[in-house]
Amino acid sequence: MKGSLIILTFFIAGCFVGHMDSVPTWLLNDALSTYVLYALLFLVGMSIGFDSHCWTILREMHLKVLLVPFAIFLGTAAGSIAAWCIIADMSMHDVLAVGAGFGYYSLSTVIITNLGDPLLGSVALLANIIREIITLLCTPFLVRFFGKLAPVASGGATAMDTTLPIIVKFTSERYGIIAVFSGMVLTVLVPFIVTFIMT
């Protein structure tokens, strides 16, 4: 929760600084955000490669574990389409791109912004932060009313890192491993799906 509030505070501070036109020109260079994105992808790859224990447990679970990220993908798409029906002034294309962030606000925001829509990038940031905060605050209720996979689905890509401790606390270590696997799959999919939708 604290991490999400810090990120939200930095976002709001960035909006104010940008509005005051006091940003150095070198920070406005599109290439800089692209290099930051590459570094982020590299770090994600490293974190996946380091976790050898995770691969052992996943092998024991066989192919059924693949259904979790697939179901989250379908559920997120369905939720995005439902939101599009309510939000009349946004195109389905834009709403699906925001939803395809799967909670991974830093990555999806940079991709959408770099593809030419900074306003939609800001919407993606807020929507995906809200998804993470809902998971952090509502995991006990999700487990109680919808089962132990519910917070994994709610967390999306964040289930592998920021929301993982609370998921493990209210489910079990086994569901924690499923959360890590699902989060990794969704994290890898984010740049491909968001780019595909945007282009």
Side-chain angles (χ1 to χ4, degrees), residues 39-56:
L40 193 60
L41 289 170
F42 176 74
L43 292 173
V44 168
M46 275 180 43
S47 67
I48 292 169
F50 281 143
D51 200 349
S52 57
H53 178 65
C54 174
W55 299 109
T56 306

Side-chain angles (χ1 to χ4, degrees), residues 69-126:
F70 181 69
I72 294 169
F73 170 76
L74 291 179
T76 300
S80 298
I81 292 169
W84 170 72
C85 293
I86 298 166
I87 306 168
D89 59 340
M90 284 183 75
S91 69
M92 184 191 290
H93 165 272
D94 289 347
V95 174
L96 285 171
V98 170
F102 299 118
Y104 199 166
Y105 44 81
S106 52
L107 186 59
S108 60
T109 301
V110 172
I111 293 169
I112 291 172
T113 302
N114 280 350
L115 290 173
D117 199 334
L119 181 61
L120 189 62
S122 299
V123 171
L125 176 68
L126 290 173

Side-chain angles (χ1 to χ4, degrees), residues 6-160:
I6 290 170
I7 288 161
L8 189 59
T9 303
F10 271 101
F11 171 71
I12 293 168
C15 289
F16 281 121
V17 171
H19 183 68
M20 292 185 297
D21 289 332
S22 59
V23 181
T25 53
W26 63 271
L27 276 176
L28 300 174
N29 188 347
D30 286 340
L32 180 63
S33 59
T34 303
Y35 291 130
V36 170
L37 175 62
Y38 293 155
L40 193 60
L41 289 170
F42 176 74
L43 292 173
V44 168
M46 275 180 43
S47 67
I48 292 169
F50 281 143
D51 200 349
S52 57
H53 178 65
C54 174
W55 299 109
T56 306
I57 294 175
L58 289 173
R59 274 197 294 271
E60 294 170 6
M61 294 181 183
H62 304 294
L63 293 174
K64 285 186 280 189
V65 75
L66 289 172
L67 293 174
V68 176
F70 181 69
I72 294 169
F73 170 76
L74 291 179
T76 300
S80 298
I81 292 169
W84 170 72
C85 293
I86 298 166
I87 306 168
D89 59 340
M90 284 183 75
S91 69
M92 184 191 290
H93 165 272
D94 289 347
V95 174
L96 285 171
V98 170
F102 299 118
Y104 199 166
Y105 44 81
S106 52
L107 186 59
S108 60
T109 301
V110 172
I111 293 169
I112 291 172
T113 302
N114 280 350
L115 290 173
D117 199 334
L119 181 61
L120 189 62
S122 299
V123 171
L125 176 68
L126 290 173
N128 286 298
I129 285 176
I130 289 167
R131 181 173 183 162
E132 180 182 311
I133 290 171
I134 286 170
T135 305
L136 291 169
L137 295 177
C138 300
T139 288
F141 304 104
L142 291 170
V143 170
R144 183 174 177 186
F145 294 108
F146 301 104
K148 292 185 176 182
L149 283 174
V152 178
S154 173
T158 68
M160 71 177 277

